[in-house]
Short mmCIF file of all heavy atoms in Angstrom, two decimals:
data_model
loop_
_atom_site.label_atom_id
_atom_site.label_comp_id
_atom_site.label_asym_id
_atom_site.label_seq_id
_atom_site.Cartn_x
_atom_site.Cartn_y
_atom_site.Cartn_z
N ALA A 781 134.43 28.29 73.73
CA ALA A 781 134.24 27.58 72.50
C ALA A 781 134.86 28.48 71.32
O ALA A 781 134.12 29.39 70.97
CB ALA A 781 132.93 27.10 72.22
N ILE A 782 136.02 28.11 70.93
CA ILE A 782 136.73 29.03 69.99
C ILE A 782 137.52 28.18 68.93
O ILE A 782 138.25 27.27 69.33
CB ILE A 782 137.58 30.01 70.78
CG1 ILE A 782 138.26 31.02 69.88
CG2 ILE A 782 138.69 29.30 71.63
CD1 ILE A 782 138.96 32.22 70.64
N ASP A 783 137.37 28.49 67.66
CA ASP A 783 138.15 27.77 66.56
C ASP A 783 137.86 26.31 66.71
O ASP A 783 138.86 25.48 66.50
CB ASP A 783 139.57 28.07 66.61
CG ASP A 783 139.80 29.60 66.40
OD1 ASP A 783 138.89 30.22 65.65
OD2 ASP A 783 140.84 30.01 66.68
N GLY A 784 136.76 25.79 67.14
CA GLY A 784 136.45 24.43 67.12
C GLY A 784 137.02 23.61 68.41
O GLY A 784 136.84 22.40 68.45
N GLU A 785 137.54 24.39 69.33
CA GLU A 785 138.11 23.82 70.49
C GLU A 785 137.51 24.46 71.73
O GLU A 785 136.92 25.47 71.69
CB GLU A 785 139.67 23.88 70.61
CG GLU A 785 140.31 23.11 69.44
CD GLU A 785 141.84 22.92 69.85
OE1 GLU A 785 142.43 24.07 70.00
OE2 GLU A 785 142.28 21.81 69.71
N ARG A 786 137.68 23.67 72.92
CA ARG A 786 137.28 24.16 74.09
C ARG A 786 138.44 24.62 75.03
O ARG A 786 139.27 23.80 75.26
CB ARG A 786 136.33 23.20 74.90
CG ARG A 786 134.95 23.00 74.21
CD ARG A 786 134.33 21.74 74.71
NE ARG A 786 133.95 21.80 76.13
CZ ARG A 786 132.92 22.48 76.66
NH1 ARG A 786 131.99 23.06 75.92
NH2 ARG A 786 132.79 22.50 78.01
N LEU A 787 138.57 25.83 75.30
CA LEU A 787 139.66 26.30 76.14
C LEU A 787 139.06 26.73 77.60
O LEU A 787 138.13 27.57 77.74
CB LEU A 787 140.19 27.53 75.53
CG LEU A 787 141.28 27.42 74.46
CD1 LEU A 787 140.65 26.65 73.27
CD2 LEU A 787 141.72 28.84 73.90
N TYR A 788 139.67 26.17 78.63
CA TYR A 788 139.22 26.35 80.01
C TYR A 788 140.22 27.26 80.66
O TYR A 788 141.30 26.90 80.82
CB TYR A 788 139.09 24.91 80.59
CG TYR A 788 138.84 24.99 82.13
CD1 TYR A 788 137.98 25.86 82.65
CD2 TYR A 788 139.37 24.09 83.04
CE1 TYR A 788 137.65 25.89 84.03
CE2 TYR A 788 139.09 24.01 84.37
CZ TYR A 788 138.30 25.01 84.86
OH TYR A 788 138.02 25.02 86.16
N ILE A 789 139.67 28.35 81.08
CA ILE A 789 140.41 29.22 81.97
C ILE A 789 139.77 29.11 83.39
O ILE A 789 138.76 29.63 83.67
CB ILE A 789 140.33 30.73 81.46
CG1 ILE A 789 140.82 30.77 80.03
CG2 ILE A 789 140.92 31.76 82.48
CD1 ILE A 789 140.45 32.20 79.34
N ALA A 790 140.73 28.45 84.29
CA ALA A 790 140.17 28.07 85.51
C ALA A 790 139.93 29.08 86.41
O ALA A 790 139.16 28.98 87.46
CB ALA A 790 141.10 27.01 86.14
N GLY A 791 140.62 30.22 86.40
CA GLY A 791 140.62 31.22 87.47
C GLY A 791 141.24 30.79 88.68
O GLY A 791 142.07 29.77 88.72
N ASP A 792 141.08 31.43 89.76
CA ASP A 792 141.70 31.14 91.05
C ASP A 792 140.97 30.05 91.84
O ASP A 792 139.87 30.29 92.25
CB ASP A 792 141.94 32.31 91.92
CG ASP A 792 143.17 33.12 91.61
OD1 ASP A 792 143.83 32.86 90.57
OD2 ASP A 792 143.60 33.98 92.41
N THR A 793 141.46 28.91 91.88
CA THR A 793 140.64 27.75 92.30
C THR A 793 141.46 26.48 92.81
O THR A 793 142.63 26.57 92.49
CB THR A 793 139.71 27.29 91.19
OG1 THR A 793 138.70 26.29 91.72
CG2 THR A 793 140.49 26.55 90.08
N ASP A 794 140.86 25.71 93.62
CA ASP A 794 141.29 24.35 93.84
C ASP A 794 140.48 23.29 92.95
O ASP A 794 139.48 23.85 92.34
CB ASP A 794 141.12 23.88 95.27
CG ASP A 794 142.00 24.54 96.26
OD1 ASP A 794 143.13 25.07 95.91
OD2 ASP A 794 141.40 24.86 97.40
#
Side-chain angles (χ1 to χ4, degrees):
I782 181 169
D783 295 339
E785 291 197 308
R786 291 170 60 83
L787 277 62
Y788 173 38
I789 299 170
D792 276 14
T793 190
D794 292 329

